[in-house]
Amino acid sequence: MSGLIRYWAAAKAAAGIAEEPFEDEVLADVLTAAVARHGARLGEVVRRASFLVDGTPVGRRDPADVRLPDGAVVEVLPPFAGG
């Protein structure tokens, strides 16, 4: 499977890029690979982030249980301040 991962706010700063392709079938694998490429700072953001897959919130589901369709867009949304 292939798709696109998009980083927002602090995730974008930690990754150093706004988006990149991925080649995994499960959200946990996408996130593990991204942290391996970009380092511990992104790992810290990912631990606190929420995720969208094709615009749908992942919520409290375990990322290891979230299968990704081919062409999926995964968005990494760190906690936002403000109100």
Side-chain angles (χ1 to χ4, degrees):
M1 298 295 157
S2 64
L4 184 70
I5 185 168
R6 289 187 180 143
Y7 304 103
W8 295 97
K12 181 178 174 181
I17 56 174
E19 59 186 39
E20 65 185 330
F22 67 81
E23 297 288 332
D24 296 296
E25 296 181 18
V26 177
L27 180 57
D29 295 339
V30 170
L31 300 174
T32 298
V35 170
R37 280 190 304 278
H38 301 293
R41 186 171 164 215
L42 180 61
E44 292 172 18
V45 174
V46 164
R47 280 190 290 280
R48 297 185 321 266
S50 58
F51 309 98
L52 301 177
V53 175
D54 292 335
T56 301
V58 170
R60 296 188 180 268
R61 289 183 289 164
D62 183 339
D65 295 333
V66 179
R67 300 201 60 79
L68 303 170
D70 193 37
V73 175
V74 172
E75 298 186 63
V76 181
L77 306 170
F80 291 93

